[in-house]
Each structure stands twice: as C-alpha cells, then as structure tokens.
C-alpha cells in the first residue's frame, strides 16, 4: 500500500516541478540517407544559408536564418512542391538562453514528405509574416502573438485570436502561472462590475478538492439539504427530497412511490 | 339515445374548479419553463439530448428558445470562459423577470477540471444561480430532475409579489 500523505494542500503545490525539462531525443540521421530530402536540401542550400539539417522520425528538420524564412517557404512552395503549411508556432526557451524557437511544419502531398523549418529569434524580436504565402499562417501567427507575444511583420491583422483583445499577458510563456496572474484572476469581475466589486464577490476558490459539510453556502450534503446559509449542526434530521409538494399541485397528480411500479429488468 | 349520467347541478351547477390566484399563476409559470439554449461545451450535448425525443423535455413544458427575451430559465451548460463572461451577464440582463438560472455540470458550478487562467471559477461569480447540478456531464435525467425541483421552488413562492430582483450585488 502507498504511504498516506495528507491531502489538504494537494492543489497548492505543483505536482511537477522541473519546468524546463527537455525530453530525450530520438536518434537523428544524416540527410543523405533519403534521396528526396537530399535533393530538396540541395535546392534550398543553393539559395539560402542552412545552419543545420538532419532527419528525425522520417521528417527532415532544417535550421535557417530568421530573415530568410519568406524566401525559403516560397521556394519550397513553388519549386519543391511543399504546398501546405500544416502548423507553425513557437517554443519558449527564454529561461535557457533568452530565445524563442519558431517552427514551420511543411507537407508535400505529391512527395508524401514533411519538412520542419526552424530558426531562433531573440526575446522581443519580430518575425516575418508568411501569411501572403499560406493563408493558414494568418490564424497561426495571430495565435503565436496571443500566446507568446511574438509579432509578425507584415501581417494584415495582428491581434489576439483566442484571448480577449483587452487581455494582458501571454499565457503559453513558461513564466505564466497556469492559474493566471492577478489580472487574469479578476478579469471578469473588473470588466463587468468594476474593481469595487472585488471585495463583495471575493477571490476565486481554486482548491477543487475542498469539501466542507458545515458550509451550507457552497455545499449541499446529500440527503441533508438545507436552505443556503443555514447553520449546520451534527445532529440533523435527514431531509426527504421529493420533487413534488404534499397534496400535489393543481391539475397534476402526485407521484406515489408505493403504488408506482419499478421496472428493474432491462430485458422485460 | 346515449345514457349520460352527468349531474349538472354538482359544484353549484358550473364546471369550475376553485383555486387561488397564486396557485394558478405558479402553475402556469412552473409548467411552461422555456429554457434559453446555452450550450457552452460538452454539457450542452446532454442538454440537447434532454430536449430530443428520447428524453423529451416538452413533457414538462420546457421548450428551448434561442432568444433570452422569450426564455424563463437559463441553463448554463458547459465551461464558462473569461472571454465569454460579459456575454452571459448581458444575456441574463435581457431575460424578462421572473427568471431563473440552472448551473449545469462541474464547469458551470465551480470551474470544474479547468483550474486555469481562462475559465470562470463558477458561473455564480457573474450571475445569481438557483440550482446547481453536479456531474461531468450530468445525465439528461439529472437535468430533468433539476427542472422539476425548480418547478417546486417556483410553486413554493408567492406569485402575487413581484419576484424579488436577483442581483449578485
Ligand atoms: S462539466 Fe464536464 S461535461 Fe460539462 S462542460 Fe465541463 S467538462 Fe464538459
């Protein structure tokens, strides 16, 4: 049996503490071992600087310079038949070396291959928008801005997409607390009722494991339901909860449990 | 010729039933609870199932309306996000009094499993709630039982007095 651990503060502590854990890598292969990828890489290398390239899980990963991204994707779309941008976003490495890693996942339906194009940018730097090349980048870049605060130069509508426009903070940063900061905690109260209402409505109750049978404001004990706010003592009579009043209602027959038939055979 | 056996002089000679105004008004209110379709997440599916033929909400006079101005009860079925909070308040304000609110499922009750920055930790932080249904998601039977409890609550009130305005603050 597991040793007993007190569970009153189970929500207070993060169960997982290593925030910058890096997963072990699967083996990388040389690009030469795949003809299609090798040819693609040659074509890209002829025009742009490629810092690193390898094959991992049957997909080629290449690292380029940030300012080349529009050109590389245009080349891949128009000449190398990588006609779909299936996903793009960023990875937060701010704690390690103050950079973001940006990735673009490309798919070729004709070659049945995927290439991931990557580069690093400094914190605070903007990226070049590829929305003119791929419409799918429109929302992806807005999401990247919303979640990480990385702006895309040349994007037609650089606004938040998931969070409200007046939100503060970028939730997918590793420094952003999961349960929200001060602004997030009071967002809806401040917006609807104003800051004065904070005292009346009170802070959020975040402990989902909390149960208090003596608190009739927030909890109802099954079989012992009382009106909200009633003082609860230990020697209370069970309340029989029936959904109809005694004597029935005008024009409606009262259900009589004794005379009703319970069908407990599902195959009847 | 048919052999009727009707005593027309019974009950003072008129086909009437005697009752009080309270009773008849509350009877009307409680048995035509039109609900605002408010499916916000997975609980909305169970709410739809309650309205469909297998569970058949129409039996209780509960018909889903797509406009808050025609609805008596708002069934908050699902995860209320902070972005959506202002709209639930606006829709609640647009409902005509008397109005009631059922909070359906853990998410609407307490935020549920979404202990995150983007979820309102309980719909009652925004609007006053009459009934909380536990479950994730509650079965359609739970919702129907909840509506029956709400009917009971309505019938227990005096109909004559205008409903006390329910405000969070
Ligand atoms: S309570 Fe459960 S079923 Fe209902 S909306 Fe939340 S997660 Fe979905």
């Amino acid at each position: 049996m597991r040793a007993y651990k007190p569970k009153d503060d189970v929500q207070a502590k993060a169960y997982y503490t290593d925030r910058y854990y890096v997963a072990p890598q699967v083996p990388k292969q040389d690009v030469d071992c795949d003809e299609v990828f090798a040819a693609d890489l040659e074509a890209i290398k002829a025009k742009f600087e490629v810092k690193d390239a390898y094959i991992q899980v049957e997909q080629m990963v290449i690292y380029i310079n940030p300012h080349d991204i529009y050109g590389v994707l245009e080349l891949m779309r128009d000449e190398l038949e990588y006609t779909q941008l299936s996903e793009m976003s960023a990875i937060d490495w701010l704690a390690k070396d103050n950079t973001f890693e940006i990735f673009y996942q490309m798919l070729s339906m004709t070659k049945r291959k995927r290439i991931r194009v990557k580069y690093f940018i400094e914190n605070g730097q903007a990226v070049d928008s590829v929305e003119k090349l791929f419409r799918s980048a429109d929302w992806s870049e807005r999401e990247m801005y919303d979640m990480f605060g990385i702006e895309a130069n040349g994007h037609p509508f650089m606004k938040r997409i998931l969070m409200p426009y007046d939100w503060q903070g970028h939730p997918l940063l590793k420094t952003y607390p999961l349960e929200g900061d001060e602004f997030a905690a009071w967002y809806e109260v401040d917006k609807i009722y104003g800051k004065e209402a904070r005292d009346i409505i009170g802070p959020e109750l975040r402990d989902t494991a909390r149960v208090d049978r003596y608190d009739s404001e927030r909890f109802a004990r099954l079989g012992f339901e009382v009106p909200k706010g009633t003082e609860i003592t230990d020697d209370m009579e069970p309340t029989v909860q029936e959904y109809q009043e005694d004597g029935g209602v005008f024009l409606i027959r009262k259900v009589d449990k004794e005379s009703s038939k319970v069908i407990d055979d599902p195959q009847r | 010729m048919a052999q009727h056996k009707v005593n027309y002089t019974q009950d003072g000679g008129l086909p009437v039933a005697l009752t009080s105004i309270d009773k008849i008004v509350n009877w009307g209110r409680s048995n035509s609870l039109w609900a605002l379709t408010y499916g916000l997440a997975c609980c909305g599916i169970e709410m739809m199932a309650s309205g469909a033929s297998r569970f058949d909400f129409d039996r209780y006079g509960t018909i889903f309306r797509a406009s808050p101005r025609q609805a008596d009860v708002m069934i908050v079925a699902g995860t209320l996000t902070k972005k959506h909070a202002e709209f639930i308040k606006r829709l609640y304000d647009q409902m005509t009094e008397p109005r009631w609110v059922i909070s359906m499922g853990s998410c609407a009750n307490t935020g549920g499993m979404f202990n995150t920055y983007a979820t309102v930790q309980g719909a009652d932080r925004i609007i006053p709630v009459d009934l909380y249904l536990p479950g994730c998601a509650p079965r359609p039977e739970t919702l129907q039982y909840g509506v029956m409890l709400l009917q009971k609550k309505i019938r227990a009130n005096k109909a004559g007095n205008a409903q006390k305005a329910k405000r969070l603050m």
Side-chain angles (χ1 to χ4, degrees), chain A residues 44-56:
Chain A
I44 297 171
K45 266 188 177 165
K47 289 194 181 159
F48 302 98
E49 184 194 345
V50 174
K51 290 178 165 172
D52 189 12
Y54 53 84
I55 293 179
Q56 205 173 23

Side-chain angles (χ1 to χ4, degrees), chain A residues 85-92 100-105 116-119 121 127 137 139-148 150 172:
Chain A
L85 172 68
S86 33
E87 169 68 337
M88 63 150 296
S89 191
I91 303 166
D92 173 354
F100 287 108
E101 186 175 5
I102 319 284
F103 64 89
Y104 298 76
Q105 180 78 8
R116 198 174 309 135
V117 183
K118 287 185 160 193
Y119 58 84
I121 59 165
V127 301
W139 284 13
S140 299
E141 277 168 0
R142 282 177 67 187
E143 186 184 349
M144 187 170 74
Y145 167 65
D146 194 355
M147 292 290 138
F148 294 98
I150 303 169
L172 226 53

Side-chain angles (χ1 to χ4, degrees), chain A residues 17-83:
Chain A
T17 46
D18 191 359
R19 299 182 81 162
Y20 301 103
Y21 170 79
V22 181
Q25 297 275 309
V26 287
K28 297 171 182 171
Q29 288 161 317
D30 213 36
V31 179
D32 295 334
C33 65
D34 188 304
E35 292 165 23
V36 185
F37 280 148
D40 290 343
L41 186 61
E42 276 314 304
I44 297 171
K45 266 188 177 165
K47 289 194 181 159
F48 302 98
E49 184 194 345
V50 174
K51 290 178 165 172
D52 189 12
Y54 53 84
I55 293 179
Q56 205 173 23
V57 209
E58 297 176 16
Q59 300 181 17
M60 182 162 79
V61 181
I62 62 172
Y63 282 88
I64 58 168
N65 286 317
H67 53 264
D68 287 339
I69 182 63
Y70 192 91
V72 171
L73 292 201
E74 193 172 32
L75 175 82
M76 287 172 71
R77 185 189 72 170
D78 295 342
E79 286 163 38
L80 305 180
E81 298 175 21
Y82 288 87
T83 48

Side-chain angles (χ1 to χ4, degrees), chain A residues 88-90 100 137-152 155 157-173 176 183, chain B residues 83 117-118:
Chain A
M88 63 150 296
S89 191
F100 287 108
D138 183 346
W139 284 13
S140 299
E141 277 168 0
R142 282 177 67 187
E143 186 184 349
M144 187 170 74
Y145 167 65
D146 194 355
M147 292 290 138
F148 294 98
I150 303 169
E151 290 187 31
H155 190 285
F157 193 69
M158 196 75 260
K159 283 206 170 196
R160 288 180 181 274
I161 189 168
L162 296 170
M163 306 311 292
Y165 287 162
D166 54 354
W167 192 261
Q168 290 171 17
H170 299 282
L172 226 53
L173 293 175
Y176 194 91
F183 172 83
Chain B
K83 191 176 182 178
Y117 60 91

Side-chain angles (χ1 to χ4, degrees), chain A residues 125-142:
Chain A
Q125 210 178 328
V127 301
D128 286 339
S129 169
V130 294
E131 191 267 340
K132 296 280 178 300
L133 293 173
F134 298 100
R135 285 307 308 281
S136 66
D138 183 346
W139 284 13
S140 299
E141 277 168 0
R142 282 177 67 187

Side-chain angles (χ1 to χ4, degrees), chain B residues 41-44 77-79 104-108 113-114 135-138:
Chain B
C42 7
C43 276
T79 320
M104 178 180 180
S106 316
C107 285
M113 62 171 154
F114 299 103
C136 175

